[in-house]
């Protein structure tokens, strides 16, 4: 929408669309630079960050790594991530991300985010409530050890259960204390541009003037849609239909002027089934890891003024096989009995291998000794949702007295599975490298009957779901966070951050990297959006 004698209802120097981790980071950086900031959020703020596990990927020798006795350098972090995350950003941007990682953790701590250097002693997908520093990626996997010294870099915010709120809540409180205004229950519907194509504001529909009981009902429904709705999409659909009816009746249109810039930080599009089918049709069998606000609306706003997109087909699908850590010694095979991946890698790498190489199908093979050890570990290594997932996986277990017997029972090629087991066991017995590169720490020969195959295929499942999030988004200038047009030029006054934009993890994801990228890219966008105000003032004077 182009400005034409617009009457502004509200105004600020920097306007932020979406107030999750990236949005709150942008707001804090902008206000620290002297800008006035107004943020809008369809719900009450927090986004996917508030319902996440609360992991921030940080390294290079943070105070919590040092407290735990973990040796790490920015060089090691850079070497590992260069191997892990592909080419979504330039090496210069990745280098900056790694070099500034210690300061990022300090910045979060200074704003009230609680971390702790309690080191998890075993490899896991998510530590229990006793540990808050762990291997959150594939640092300890065989191939990764060849390129960089492994170090635990998953900084979990301290709090019971999934602790994402322990990151968002203090940051939001800090933003409020510094004067950031948050307009809740407000949906941005259009960007407003001037005659030269610069973004100068947004048009929204807001519930701010609705009766108080209606606003409370809207907020309650939004909260239910957020977390329970992740695991029960049908419930979310019902709730969102009711929320939409309320908004149609009570929401009113407002226009908000952005004197310096608009930051789009409205999440990805994993909750938009139509966009998922269009851009990532292979990734429709998991659960949408995000809120209903992760509907691609931020990306579409950028596209509406000519913004370019990239990597929209990149999705991270998480198939976790631990805890218990004993299962890292199992082998993951396809229908031919062939192994798919080094099983000690992070769950996103396992899920990626399954989707790309076996249409999402996979079976985990374990012997009697391994299963006995795993059962002993479940109580000590797991928290509640992991125990639910363990139970879901165990229920799919099929036992057999021999490798051939169990293979036939589930429809896997017996000869192919036997060959995989023989190769795995032979390498372990001779001390040779594992055929899939699994490090010796995690290799467990499969010899003791009965043998069990667990169906860990990626498909809709309440008991053993496969969480997914989108990784691609708007193309941004990696120095400023400005959204770039399809012709490669910066769109004046428009910035993007978090999963609305292409970022550090847009090719490959490890736990904590998305939240870390939200902070990194959010601060970058907020800083440069605020600085543009000074540039505009200088231009006027000139």
């Amino acid at each position: 929408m182009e400005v034409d004698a617009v009457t502004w209802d509200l105004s600020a120097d920097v306007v932020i669309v979406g107030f999750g981790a990236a949005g709150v980071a942008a707001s804090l950086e902008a206000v620290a630079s002297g800008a006035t900031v107004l943020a809008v959020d369809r719900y009450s703020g927090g986004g996917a960050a508030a319902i996440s596990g609360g992991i921030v990927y940080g390294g290079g020798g943070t105070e919590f790594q040092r407290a735990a006795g973990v040796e790490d350098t920015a060089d090691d972090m850079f070497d590992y991530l260069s191997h892990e995350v592909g080419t979504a950003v330039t090496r210069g941007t990745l280098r900056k991300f790694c070099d500034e990682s210690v300061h990022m953790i300090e910045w979060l701590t200074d704003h009230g985010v609680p971390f702790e250097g309690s080191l998890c002693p075993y490899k896991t997908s998510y530590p229990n409530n006793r540990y808050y520093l762990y291997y959150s990626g594939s640092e300890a996997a065989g191939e990764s050890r060849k390129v960089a010294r492994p170090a635990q870099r998953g900084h979990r915010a301290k709090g019971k259960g999934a602790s994402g709120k322990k990151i968002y809540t203090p940051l939001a409180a800090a933003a409020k204390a510094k004067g950031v205004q948050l307009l809740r229950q407000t949906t941005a519907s259009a960007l407003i541009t001037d005659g030269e194509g610069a973004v100068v504001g947004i048009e929204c529909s807001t519930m701010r003037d609705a009766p108080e009981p209606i606003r409370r009902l809207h907020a309650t429904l939004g909260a239910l849609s957020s977390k329970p709705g992740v695991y029960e999409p049908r419930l979310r659909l019902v709730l969102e239909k009711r929320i939409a009816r309320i908004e149609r009746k009570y929401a009113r249109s407002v226009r908000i002027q952005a004197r310096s810039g608009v930051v789009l930080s409205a999440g990805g599009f994993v909750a938009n089934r139509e966009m998922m089918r269009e851009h990532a049709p292979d990734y429709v069998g998991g659960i949408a890891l995000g809120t209903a606000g992760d509907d691609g609306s931020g990306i579409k706003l950028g596209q509406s003024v000519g913004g370019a997109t990239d990597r929209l087909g990149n999705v991270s699908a998480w198939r976790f096989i631990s805890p218990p850590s004993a299962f890292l010694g199992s082998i993951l095979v396809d229908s031919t009995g062939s192994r798919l991946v080094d099983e000690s890698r992070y769950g996103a790498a396992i899920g990626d291998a399954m989707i790309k190489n076996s249409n999402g199908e996979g079976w985990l093979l374990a012997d009697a000794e391994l299963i006995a050890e795993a059962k002993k570990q479940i109580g000590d290594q797991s928290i509640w949702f992991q125990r639910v997932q363990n139970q879901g996986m165990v229920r799919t277990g099929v036992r057999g007295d021999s490798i051939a017997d169990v293979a036939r029972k589930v429809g896997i090629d017996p000869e192919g599975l036997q060959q995989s087991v023989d190769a795995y066991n032979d390498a372990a017995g001779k001390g040779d490298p594992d055929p899939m590169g699994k490090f010796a720490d995690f290799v467990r020969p499969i010899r003791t009957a009965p043998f069990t195959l667990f169906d860990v295929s990626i498909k809709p499942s309440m008991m053993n779901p496969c969480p997914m999030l989108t990784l691609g988004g708007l193309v941004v200038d990696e120095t400023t966070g400005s959204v770039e047009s399809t012709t490669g030029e910066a769109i004046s006054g428009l910035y993007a951050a978090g999963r609305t934009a292409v970022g550090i993890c847009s090719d490959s994801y490890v736990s904590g990297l998305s939240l870390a990228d939200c902070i990194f890219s959010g601060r970058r966008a907020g800083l440069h959006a605020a600085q543009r105000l000074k540039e505009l003032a200088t231009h006027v004077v000139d």
Side-chain angles (χ1 to χ4, degrees):
M1 174 186 296
E2 186 173 322
V3 64
D4 183 17
V6 168
T7 298
W8 301 109
D9 300 286
L10 298 166
S11 65
D13 296 333
V14 176
V15 174
I16 295 171
V17 179
F19 204 61
V24 72
S27 75
L28 284 165
E29 203 65 37
V31 78
S33 299
T36 59
V37 180
L38 189 153
V40 302
D41 193 277
R42 187 188 176 194
Y43 301 101
S44 298
I51 62 172
S52 74
I55 308 299
V56 177
Y57 195 89
T62 70
E63 63 175 293
F64 305 103
Q65 287 180 311
R66 296 196 304 270
V70 174
E71 296 184 9
D72 194 19
T73 66
D75 288 342
D76 284 325
M77 182 179 178
F78 175 75
D79 289 342
Y80 166 68
L81 288 179
S82 295
H83 169 73
E84 184 72 53
V85 304
T87 59
V89 298
T90 64
R91 288 178 65 83
T93 297
L94 183 60
R95 182 80 240 189
K96 180 178 176 65
F97 173 75
C98 295
D99 289 343
E100 295 179 355
S101 185
V102 169
H103 173 68
M104 177 189 69
I105 295 296
E106 292 173 348
W107 184 87
L108 289 167
T109 302
D110 289 343
H111 285 92
V113 178
F115 295 114
E116 183 181 279
S118 47
L119 191 65
C120 188
Y122 51 85
K123 182 78 168 65
T124 183
S125 61
Y126 189 80
N128 63 26
N129 293 324
R130 294 194 299 273
Y131 307 114
Y132 292 91
L133 182 67
Y134 74 117
Y135 284 121
S136 65
S138 299
E139 301 89 348
E143 288 299 317
S144 299
R145 296 195 194 206
K146 295 178 182 179
V147 299
R149 178 178 55 175
Q152 294 89 336
R153 301 190 183 101
H155 289 66
R156 177 186 167 199
K158 188 172 183 180
K160 292 183 178 180
S163 50
K165 286 186 177 180
K166 295 295 183 178
I167 292 175
Y168 170 73
T169 302
L171 292 180
K176 181 179 180 180
K178 294 177 184 297
V180 174
Q181 298 180 66
L182 173 59
L183 194 59
R184 296 177 173 85
Q185 299 168 296
T186 300
T187 303
S189 56
L191 295 173
I192 301 173
T193 59
D194 65 13
E196 298 180 354
V199 174
V200 295
I202 61 174
E203 183 163 10
C204 307
S205 61
T206 180
M207 296 284 295
R208 69 169 184 164
D209 297 323
E212 178 61 27
I214 298 299
R215 293 202 305 273
R216 285 200 303 269
L217 174 61
H218 184 279
T220 299
L221 295 174
L224 290 172
S225 168
S226 175
K227 192 59 177 275
V230 169
Y231 298 101
E232 183 42 77
R234 290 170 296 182
L235 171 64
R236 172 174 283 178
L237 181 62
V238 170
L239 292 171
E240 287 301 312
K241 286 183 177 179
R242 189 172 181 190
I243 289 171
R245 287 197 299 270
I246 293 172
E247 291 173 344
R248 283 194 297 271
K249 184 174 181 179
Y250 292 100
R252 297 293 179 264
S253 178
V254 295
R255 292 178 176 179
I256 304 173
Q257 181 185 30
R259 289 184 289 267
S260 183
V262 170
V263 178
L264 301 175
S265 50
F269 63 90
V270 73
N272 186 320
R273 293 292 92 185
E274 182 178 339
M275 287 185 70
M276 288 293 290
R277 285 191 292 269
E278 177 184 357
H279 299 291
D282 292 336
Y283 294 86
V284 294
I287 61 170
L289 192 65
T291 70
D294 286 285
D295 59 359
S297 56
I299 296 171
K300 289 182 177 180
L301 283 173
Q303 289 178 302
S304 73
V305 293
T309 59
D310 194 18
R311 292 169 164 80
L312 295 184
N314 289 0
V315 174
S316 184
W318 306 350
R319 173 48 75 217
F320 296 126
I321 62 175
S322 70
S325 57
F327 273 122
L328 298 174
S330 62
I331 62 172
L332 179 67
V333 300
D334 62 16
S335 60
T336 70
S338 300
R339 284 177 69 191
L340 288 166
V341 69
D342 169 357
E343 295 81 9
S344 69
R345 294 199 68 197
Y346 176 64
I350 293 174
D352 185 66
M354 290 173 63
I355 288 177
K356 291 181 177 178
N357 300 322
S358 65
N359 296 316
E361 294 183 340
W363 290 265
L364 207 63
L365 176 68
D367 70 359
E369 289 186 9
L370 190 150
I371 290 175
E373 182 179 349
K375 288 180 178 178
K376 294 178 183 178
Q377 294 173 343
I378 289 176
D380 188 56
Q381 294 186 1
S382 306
I383 56 180
W384 72 268
F385 67 85
Q386 293 168 326
R387 286 192 286 272
V388 170
Q389 292 173 359
N390 282 325
Q391 292 171 5
M393 186 177 77
V394 168
R395 288 182 182 181
T396 69
V398 175
R399 297 172 64 180
D401 293 331
S402 67
I403 297 296
D405 179 33
V406 72
R408 280 191 290 268
K409 285 182 178 180
V410 300
I412 290 177
D413 177 34
E415 292 185 6
L417 182 59
Q418 187 66 63
Q419 289 173 4
S420 293
V421 171
D422 290 344
Y424 183 63
N425 289 345
D426 289 347
K430 296 176 182 176
D432 291 341
D434 175 63
M436 297 300 292
K438 183 154 65 177
F439 198 72
D441 293 7
F442 305 113
V443 172
R444 293 282 302 272
I446 298 172
R447 297 195 177 105
T448 308
F451 303 96
T452 304
L453 278 167
F454 301 97
D455 185 355
V456 294
S457 300
I458 296 172
K459 55 189 175 183
S461 170
M462 283 288 292
M463 292 296 292
N464 193 19
C466 180
M468 296 183 178
L469 77 160
T470 56
L471 303 178
L474 294 167
V475 176
V476 295
D477 182 295
E478 293 182 20
T479 300
T480 65
S482 294
V483 175
E484 294 188 348
S485 71
T486 53
T487 57
E489 300 170 344
I491 298 175
S492 185
L494 186 63
Y495 304 82
R499 298 286 60 79
T500 302
V502 173
I504 301 291
C505 62
S506 290
D507 271 347
S508 178
Y509 173 86
V510 298
S511 190
L513 198 55
S514 181
L515 278 178
D517 184 43
C518 284
I519 303 302
F520 175 76
S521 63
R523 292 180 66 195
R524 176 181 65 193
L527 171 66
H528 288 280
Q531 287 181 343
R532 182 171 176 269
L533 188 66
K534 300 175 183 177
E535 296 169 2
L536 290 172
T538 301
H539 179 71
V540 170
V541 171
D542 292 343

